[in-house]
Amino acid sequence: MTRRNFGSLLAFSTSALAQQAPAPPNPNTSEQRRGTIQEVPPFQDALSFTRKNAPSRVNAFAMSQVRLLEGPFKDAEEWNRGYMQRLPADRLLHNFRLNAGLPSSAEPFGGWEEPKGELRGHFTGHYLSASALLYASTGDQDIKAKGDLMVAELAKCQEKLGGGYLSAFPLEFWDRLDALKKVWAPFYTIHKIMAGMFDMYSLAGNQQALEVLKGMAGWADTWTGSKSEEHMQEILKTEYGGMNEVLYNLAAATGEDRWAKVGDRFTKKTFFNPLASRRDELRGLHVNTHIPQVIGAARRYEISGDERFHDVADFFWYEVVSARTYVTGGTSNGEGWLVPPRQLAAELKRSVATAECCCAYNMMKLTRHLYSWTADPRYFDYYERTMLNHRIGAIYPKTGATQYYLSLTPGAWKTFNTDDHSFWCCTGTGAEEFSKLNDSIYWHDDKGLYVNLFVPSELNWSEKGVHIRQTNKFPEQQSTLLTVTTDKPTAFEMRIRVPEWIADGSSVKINGKALEVSASPGSYLTISRTWKNGDKVEVELPMKLRVESMPDDHKLRAFLYGPLVLAGDLGSAGLTPKLTVGPNATRLKDVPPVDIPTFKAASADPASWIKPAGKPLTFKTTGQVKDVQLAPINSIFDKRYSVYWEVS
Ligand SMILES: [Zn+2]
């Protein structure tokens, strides 16, 4: 089915009372390629790499140019920094040293980092990435020094192991992978360490990390280079993270095509062929195994201009976001896509383990690539939805513990990692996520600035001699204020995202005077002027109550206020610390059942029966057999909740 057909079906099936989320963008695909079923699979032949940079429309500012100001994002950054500070370098290095035959008396971690665990070392890789990101975000010299020390110590391990291979587990794992015998995910783990090295090099200026990475990439070249194409395709059935991505990044950073050719060996053809032909064959796949591969495809397109890779990324993103994503922006259930597209109500019933956090992390990473190609603001509707509803409330206040799944099963609650006995995949991406919350707020092109997120922050646009300071209490306050500081009057366009959720009554004022402008939701409001020191832009961002229904069950509905998904407070009966800290998912059988009310809507407008409840952003149903308090899901902790409700 072509996207155009899908669009019309979507429009046809939308009821007046409840809308599905608006169709996200998929604008950069030519008519010719759209919907064509090609007789020859696009990735049938052997790949050949030729460097040719694909054009980008916009670029994000470097994280070192943006600093968070006081607000929920800054709080989350600090909580995560505290967690990272509590993990000693010697413990993070322990398994690597033992594997290299070097002494270590550190106390081993537990969970997925326990000394016999088959993923051991993965979190240390994430930790390096998170350190580099946090340094770029905040300039924190202590975290950089710790990252530098770990790179130096890991380099010693690599040296002891022969100068190429670097891992916390022995080569025997690779013999099992080669023989297609049971082993968890060696390349997945190696990818985290390589990505950590790449980030320490590219974001924290550590040259030794680049040398370590080249050694690892050389080892990966030798290991994969000895396999036939058919055998390699079998090996790729075992999760391998973003091996393709990090090798393309290395090729781009060094100008050495050799690494891109190694990256090409990590092209899983059974996965890419249908995507490049714009077919959804995602059912049955493990979600977080595959999103990183698509990020790799996006990078491959960017450094080669090969449209097949563009189409893989473009169609995959469109399909996951439009057909396999819950109202919070999360995707997956039990870590997989379990049903055909657009059957989320059916999928929701399959398990409580909905919406794995690292899937959201990686989808947002992919979103940045697609946005940079198109500058389509609707990508940031998805990004903001996922950030506000799935990510920013997935970190526990003060402790900095993070989640594995954000369950959407009625009656579920949030569960969090322990400090040193969890180390799930999502603990790793969590440490990265909350180290980079200043990323992607501001973008730029030749003409000027894009403001995509309403996060209190300061941009040092050093290339123009301009500072932008964004202050607000968003989303509690439905507005944002941008203040320009500049040495001399400077002409540029300021483009402010007008979100898809915006209600009537928005306005823009410059230095207190209302502008006679309009921009529709899902577009940019462009202000073109010569900016003077102290100019102030005040944007009203009015919110309203909204309803979104499941695509396959229009009675199953979620309520939103502006960009915020509301969850109903079902109390905390039966919840104990044992159930909220440690388990990777909600264990419904360990608590008494909770009554999940159903609702009768008084009219099509939810505001007719869902009323403000006194505190900001909280609401209460009215006129129901059992009324419920609603609050943003990102504010709910140590409570049972429901996001989806039966509404008649
Ligand atoms: Zn995960």
Side-chain angles (χ1 to χ4, degrees):
M1 182 185 298
T2 66
R3 179 177 168 250
R4 180 161 295 165
N5 287 342
F6 168 53
S8 59
L9 271 185
L10 192 71
F12 179 72
S13 61
T14 299
S15 77
L17 184 62
Q19 308 253 320
Q20 282 174 239
N26 185 7
N28 201 27
T29 303
S30 74
E31 284 297 322
Q32 199 183 3
R33 292 203 305 279
R34 183 179 295 170
T36 51
I37 306 294
Q38 292 162 18
E39 286 186 15
V40 181
F43 288 93
Q44 179 166 278
D45 298 334
L47 285 164
S48 71
F49 177 81
T50 310
R51 181 179 298 266
K52 179 175 158 267
N53 286 343
S56 67
R57 287 278 305 276
V58 278
N59 293 296
F61 283 97
M63 276 187 282
S64 57
Q65 291 178 272
V66 182
R67 292 286 181 261
L68 294 177
L69 300 173
E70 202 179 310
F73 280 55
K74 183 72 187 164
D75 289 344
E77 181 183 85
E78 288 304 316
W79 299 335
N80 178 57
R81 192 207 305 249
Y83 175 56
M84 288 175 63
Q85 284 170 341
R86 291 200 298 278
L87 300 174
D90 282 340
R91 295 186 73 184
L92 289 158
L93 294 165
H94 178 70
N95 289 329
F96 286 88
R97 285 171 167 159
L98 292 189
N99 188 50
L102 293 168
S104 172
S105 56
E107 184 193 348
F109 288 138
W112 291 12
E113 285 292 336
E114 59 108 357
K116 294 233 178 301
E118 290 203 347
L119 290 190
R120 63 188 185 265
H122 80 106
F123 184 81
T124 301
H126 282 296
Y127 192 93
L128 289 177
S129 289
S131 300
L133 291 161
L134 191 57
Y135 170 67
S137 294
T138 63
D140 182 334
Q141 290 294 338
D142 290 345
I143 202 77
K144 173 169 160 48
K146 190 168 166 186
D148 287 344
L149 176 135
M150 286 173 58
V151 170
E153 292 301 310
L154 289 167
K156 288 181 196 165
C157 297
Q158 186 184 40
E159 194 55 42
K160 188 81 193 312
L161 289 166
Y165 182 60
L166 171 63
S167 173
F169 50 71
L171 287 164
E172 181 265 325
F173 283 32
W174 300 93
D175 299 338
R176 279 195 265 155
L177 184 66
D178 190 17
L180 308 178
K181 288 184 182 155
K182 197 167 189 277
V183 61
W184 195 343
F187 270 125
Y188 169 89
T189 308
I190 290 299
H191 163 248
K192 304 305 167 231
I193 302 158
M194 291 176 75
M197 291 293 169
F198 182 78
D199 292 340
M200 281 301 295
Y201 161 68
S202 60
L203 297 169
N206 186 315
Q207 289 295 323
Q208 188 179 23
L210 181 64
E211 295 311 312
V212 172
L213 173 58
K214 282 189 191 173
M216 297 181 78
W219 173 84
D221 183 10
T222 305
W223 196 87
T224 56
S226 67
K227 319 294 172 209
S228 70
E229 155 107 37
E230 294 71 32
H231 187 48
M232 196 61 205
Q233 289 295 315
E234 290 297 312
I235 286 167
L236 296 185
K237 289 179 180 168
T238 299
E239 185 172 11
Y240 58 91
M243 280 300 294
N244 53 351
E245 184 210 5
V246 72
L247 287 159
Y248 297 140
N249 281 337
L250 180 60
T254 59
E256 295 169 24
D257 290 357
R258 173 191 173 190
W259 306 123
K261 290 169 185 168
V262 184
D264 279 353
R265 292 184 198 138
F266 292 89
T267 303
K268 185 176 172 183
K269 294 188 170 182
T270 53
F271 175 50
F272 278 12
N273 271 324
L275 291 172
S277 301
R278 313 192 73 73
R279 293 198 309 274
D280 180 337
E281 295 182 7
L282 300 175
R283 183 183 187 180
L285 294 184
H286 180 264
V287 176
N288 198 49
T289 291
H290 290 89
I291 304 170
Q293 298 177 25
V294 180
I295 299 170
R299 275 306 277 148
R300 178 59 155 78
Y301 165 67
E302 287 169 354
I303 64 171
S304 69
D306 188 326
E307 295 283 352
R308 292 173 298 176
F309 289 94
H310 169 280
D311 289 3
V312 166
D314 180 60
F315 178 71
F316 175 86
W317 187 93
Y318 174 76
E319 192 63 10
V320 171
V321 170
S322 67
R324 297 181 174 279
T325 291
Y326 296 102
V327 64
T328 50
T331 187
S332 79
N333 194 339
E335 306 202 4
W337 289 299
L338 307 180
V339 293
R342 291 167 275 280
Q343 296 193 11
L344 282 167
E347 193 189 70
L348 181 62
K349 294 192 184 90
R350 294 292 198 91
S351 86
V352 299
T354 31
E356 186 183 356
C357 288
C358 54
C359 300
Y361 173 83
N362 282 318
M363 281 301 292
M364 290 166 70
K365 194 169 166 180
L366 178 62
T367 302
R368 278 190 285 273
H369 288 278
L370 274 82
Y371 174 74
S372 77
W373 307 343
T374 61
D376 189 321
R378 290 171 297 171
Y379 283 112
F380 269 89
D381 285 329
Y382 164 78
Y383 193 97
E384 178 188 60
R385 174 190 290 259
T386 310
M387 179 57 88
L388 290 179
N389 298 300
H390 192 161
R391 304 307 294 127
I392 204 70
I395 184 165
Y396 197 86
K398 301 208 169 64
T399 70
T402 51
Q403 291 195 262
Y404 194 134
Y405 308 104
L406 178 62
S407 181
L408 296 171
T409 299
W413 61 90
K414 294 180 181 176
T415 67
F416 295 88
N417 65 275
T418 59
D419 250 26
D420 61 357
H421 275 71
S422 301
F423 298 112
W424 308 313
C425 43
C426 304
T427 320
T429 49
E432 291 185 27
E433 184 95 84
F434 297 106
S435 293
K436 56 174 296 198
L437 294 172
N438 61 343
D439 188 25
S440 293
I441 301 169
Y442 306 104
W443 294 64
H444 64 93
D445 63 8
D446 293 345
K447 290 182 182 164
L449 170 72
Y450 293 78
V451 180
N452 277 324
L453 297 170
F454 310 114
V455 176
S457 54
E458 199 158 36
L459 165 68
N460 175 10
W461 194 0
S462 47
E463 296 85 348
K464 281 227 183 283
V466 168
H467 276 78
I468 307 284
R469 189 178 167 87
Q470 181 173 193
T471 48
N472 62 49
K473 290 220 180 308
F474 183 85
E476 254 178 55
Q477 210 175 50
Q478 302 176 13
S479 64
T480 193
L481 175 67
L482 296 146
T483 306
V484 179
T485 309
T486 174
D487 293 341
K488 55 177 194 317
T490 304
F492 62 89
E493 288 182 1
M494 185 188 290
R495 274 154 288 195
I496 301 165
R497 185 178 135 255
V498 181
E500 49 93 7
W501 48 259
I502 203 158
D504 293 342
S506 64
S507 69
V508 183
K509 287 178 189 159
I510 297 189
N511 300 326
K513 270 194 206 146
L515 281 189
E516 292 288 321
V517 289
S518 66
S520 49
S523 70
Y524 283 111
L525 174 78
T526 302
I527 307 171
S528 187
R529 92 191 226 120
T530 300
W531 298 88
K532 295 189 205 61
N533 191 42
D535 277 350
K536 286 185 193 310
V537 181
E538 216 179 325
V539 188
E540 295 293 326
L541 299 160
M543 298 177 192
K544 64 173 184 233
L545 280 167
R546 305 184 294 131
V547 187
E548 286 181 13
S549 64
M550 283 291 200
D552 52 334
D553 181 355
H554 281 214
K555 284 187 174 164
L556 199 57
R557 291 173 192 173
F559 302 103
L560 301 93
Y561 185 61
L564 301 165
V565 172
L566 301 176
D569 180 347
L570 300 176
S572 50
L575 293 191
T576 62
K578 269 195 171 163
L579 288 172
T580 55
V581 179
N584 62 13
T586 294
R587 290 180 188 158
L588 277 178
K589 63 176 174 31
D590 292 351
V591 291
V594 65
D595 179 27
I596 316 286
T598 58
F599 299 136
K600 271 191 164 48
S603 81
D605 180 4
S608 66
W609 61 280
I610 299 176
K611 302 288 184 186
K615 279 197 297 180
L617 306 177
T618 60
F619 298 85
K620 198 175 182 2
T621 63
T622 59
Q624 307 300 317
V625 175
K626 185 183 169 191
D627 280 311
V628 173
Q629 284 253 6
L630 298 159
I633 189 167
N634 68 21
S635 69
I636 302 249
F637 296 94
D638 301 313
K639 298 262 193 186
R640 301 176 69 179
Y641 59 80
S642 186
V643 166
Y644 287 105
W645 311 88
E646 292 281 345
V647 184
S648 54

